[in-house]
Amino acid sequence: MKRTLLSACLATLMLCNAALGADRIWISSVTLVSPEKLDRIETGGVLIDGGRIARVERGPSRAAPSGAKVVDGKGYYLTPGLIDSHVHLHVVPGMSMEQGASGDSLAQNYFRQMPRSFLYHGFTTVIDLAVSDYGVIDRFRKEPLHPDVYHCGEALVLANGYPMSFFTPETRFQSFGNYLFDPAMPTAVPAQFAPSAHTVAAGVARVDKAGGICVKTHFERGFGKDRNLPVMSGAKFAEVRAAVTQAGKVLVTHANSFEAQSFAVAGRADVLAHGMWHWGALNGQAGLPNDIKALLDRIADQRTGFQPTMQVLYGLRAYVEPGYLNDPALRKVVPASLLAWFSTPQGQWFKPEVTDGEDDAAVMQGMEGPLRRQRAVVAYLASRDANFVFGSDTPSSPTYGNLPGLNGYREMQQLHAAGMSLAQIFKAATINNARTFRLDAELGSIEVGKAANLLLMKTSPLEDVSAYDSVVTVWVRGQQTAREALAADYK
């Protein structure tokens, strides 16, 4: 490992001191770009000591602190590491849940590369919103190079609602151990799963015991063949809100429609874990309806965290996009064996579910309406400088269109095209995420005492969204790695 890291760093003329065991690193000759000081983009230096930021100096270059090894930043831009607050680490893009969990060699290769792929695109922290297997989290943390990982524990799922509905009635209760029983929504529960053991208090306690920093809930009536799923009552959601507050956690709600976001905002959810691409009876309106503007005003005024997750739809569209699998960017984040498998008949198993009998052109056209509505919502919230918190939903479904790290970069591109400024995107992926998920004492900015999760970029993220593809070096807790050594195709 040391030999590989050393050769990679020498190839980019950077010394990988931290990765080779040095405790004190002086990063000199950099332009500091930190979200809490966007009015002070200045040349300076940063001292890393024991994996933490020990000193931040702005102004003319100074001599290296005694005993510190020097990394010459070459005038590049030093930023905090990025935070993706919406990932699902147990899912292998393009595979069914069963195949991904089977120990298949393709899946094993993916899981080994996945942490490096997030780092390749600058994501030094990820938050898993719905853990289905804590072993996946443990294995992720044991990889030699990996982002910091936090989680929401097992999602607090309404019995027989979304996403339990994807599983058969015979298996769903074994698969979702933290289901919630709501008497206001009569639904069948197997006799061996006593509703009395699945109260709000019990569910939140399970998340707390597992070390979760947040609690994930859903308001989803369904789609496809399941369009009338039970949803949580307002009274039950209020009970959840009270228990989550009492536990000191962050309340995240899956909500992608006008109805769902109205419900979640009324119930004071902390984070809306999707954009609003369904407007219900208002879908056909060309502009932004006044009723939706009023809701978006509440979201902005309440500082509710908002994750647009534009890539959810683009991830599905990958199956009907000519040339998607030939994009060279995919080779950087996916093992060659898995990428080749995507093109096989077995690897195309999910396409019929995406197309549902329509031809590719019709599928592409059918997604334009939801994308138009999403863009309108993002643009309006951007005009109100809402509390955007960056989340990519990687992967949003069994699609190979949401690949780790790359999906986040493409989300940023879509957000910028929809109307978010470069400063808003940068803050969403750094300080906004850290503050909203109560991690700002540790992450989100270049400040003394915080974890040394840092990026060195050739281009400023305030100048062009392509800056997020110009990363040269990544630090996680002071451990330094050249970006090129993180690529799936690195030799």
Side-chain angles (χ1 to χ4, degrees):
M1 177 60 71
K2 289 185 178 181
R3 185 184 302 275
T4 300
L5 289 171
L6 180 58
S7 63
C9 290
L10 290 176
T12 57
L13 301 179
M14 301 295 291
L15 296 176
C16 265
N17 299 315
L20 297 173
D23 289 326
R24 286 168 61 82
I25 308 295
W26 174 245
I27 310 173
S28 68
S29 303
V30 291
T31 302
L32 299 171
V33 185
S34 192
E36 86 291 2
K37 290 184 181 293
L38 292 185
D39 58 337
R40 294 190 63 185
I41 309 300
E42 301 172 280
T43 299
V46 170
L47 177 65
I48 299 173
D49 194 345
R52 294 196 168 271
I53 299 170
R55 186 189 306 175
V56 179
E57 293 188 356
R58 287 177 163 81
S61 179
R62 295 173 172 82
S66 176
K69 294 187 178 181
V70 178
V71 171
D72 181 1
K74 303 182 181 301
Y76 293 159
Y77 299 88
L78 191 71
T79 77
L82 308 177
I83 303 170
D84 188 338
S85 62
H86 193 154
V87 304
H88 301 289
L89 300 179
H90 66 283
V91 180
V92 179
M95 284 190 178
S96 67
M97 293 289 290
E98 293 77 14
Q99 184 177 0
S102 68
D104 183 295
S105 62
L106 293 175
Q108 290 180 17
N109 290 340
Y110 169 79
F111 283 124
R112 281 192 292 268
Q113 173 60 35
M114 172 179 59
R116 304 166 70 90
S117 296
F118 280 114
L119 293 175
Y120 181 84
H121 279 283
F123 294 99
T124 59
T125 302
V126 296
I127 303 176
D128 193 321
L129 292 192
V131 179
S132 69
D133 178 359
Y134 287 104
V136 171
I137 304 291
D138 293 339
R139 290 189 291 274
F140 186 95
R141 288 173 171 156
K142 289 176 182 176
E143 287 295 323
L145 296 170
H146 63 84
D148 288 341
V149 59
Y150 298 88
H151 62 81
C152 293
E154 294 179 85
L156 197 59
V157 177
L158 187 65
N160 293 309
Y162 179 91
M164 288 182 79
S165 55
F166 291 127
F167 292 71
T168 66
E170 294 76 27
T171 63
R172 63 181 55 156
F173 287 89
Q174 291 93 336
S175 300
F176 292 87
N178 208 23
Y179 80 82
L180 176 65
F181 183 73
D182 185 352
M185 292 291 162
T187 184
V189 176
Q192 67 269 35
F193 297 100
S196 60
H198 292 273
T199 62
V200 168
V204 173
R206 289 187 190 100
V207 172
D208 187 48
K209 184 177 180 181
I213 65 168
C214 41
V215 174
K216 173 79 175 293
T217 57
H218 305 79
F219 189 102
E220 175 64 74
R221 293 196 184 276
F223 44 84
K225 66 180 184 299
D226 294 321
R227 295 178 180 272
N228 295 292
L229 300 176
V231 293
M232 203 176 296
S233 66
K236 186 58 65 175
F237 193 78
E239 191 179 342
V240 172
R241 172 70 275 180
V244 172
T245 300
Q246 178 67 28
K249 310 295 181 187
V250 176
L251 179 57
V252 180
T253 300
H254 163 106
N256 58 37
S257 68
F258 177 44
E259 179 194 19
Q261 293 196 5
S262 297
F263 175 89
V265 170
R268 305 291 294 198
D270 296 309
V271 176
L272 302 177
H274 281 298
M276 189 197 303
W277 54 79
H278 298 305
W279 294 357
L282 303 174
N283 272 350
Q285 294 202 16
L288 197 61
N290 288 334
D291 286 350
I292 290 179
K293 285 183 181 179
L295 174 60
L296 299 179
D297 285 337
R298 289 188 66 187
I299 290 170
D301 292 342
Q302 291 180 190
R303 306 302 295 164
T304 304
F306 194 87
Q307 296 179 340
T309 61
M310 302 284 289
Q311 277 296 115
V312 169
L313 295 176
Y314 285 102
L316 295 173
R317 211 166 78 163
Y319 285 88
V320 295
E321 278 188 20
Y324 169 80
L325 291 175
N326 296 322
D327 186 336
L330 275 60
R331 297 198 294 268
K332 301 297 182 182
V333 297
V334 176
S337 57
L338 182 59
L339 185 57
W341 180 80
F342 289 158
S343 296
T344 67
Q346 295 83 3
Q348 291 285 312
W349 71 274
F350 189 56
K351 181 174 180 178
E353 295 194 32
V354 173
T355 58
D356 195 24
E358 295 185 311
D359 62 35
D360 291 2
V363 173
M364 291 279 281
Q365 182 60 37
M367 291 185 182
E368 282 307 309
L371 286 169
R372 173 187 61 79
R373 293 189 286 272
Q374 266 194 307
R375 294 184 192 112
V377 166
V378 169
Y380 187 81
L381 287 174
S383 74
R384 290 293 320 276
D385 199 23
N387 180 29
F388 288 103
V389 291
F390 183 85
S392 66
D393 197 3
T394 300
S396 60
S397 64
T399 175
Y400 54 50
N402 298 143
L403 301 176
L406 178 61
N407 197 46
Y409 174 49
R410 290 184 169 169
E411 176 77 11
M412 290 173 165
Q413 293 174 306
Q414 297 300 338
L415 294 175
H416 189 45
M420 281 180 67
S421 71
L422 293 172
Q424 286 174 324
I425 293 169
F426 181 57
K427 290 170 71 175
T430 54
I431 198 67
N432 288 6
N433 254 336
R435 288 171 176 165
T436 301
F437 283 90
R438 303 175 190 173
L439 299 171
D440 51 311
E442 186 79 357
L443 304 169
S445 58
I446 304 176
E447 295 183 84
V448 172
K450 292 194 176 184
N453 288 8
L454 302 166
L455 304 177
L456 191 65
M457 300 181 182
K458 290 183 179 180
T459 305
S460 169
L462 303 180
E463 293 176 3
D464 197 295
V465 73
S466 67
Y468 297 103
D469 199 28
S470 75
V471 174
V472 176
T473 310
V474 179
W475 287 266
V476 181
R477 303 279 165 173
Q479 181 175 350
Q480 179 179 323
T481 309
R483 185 201 196 196
E484 65 182 54
L486 297 163
D489 63 356
Y490 177 70
K491 304 299 183 185

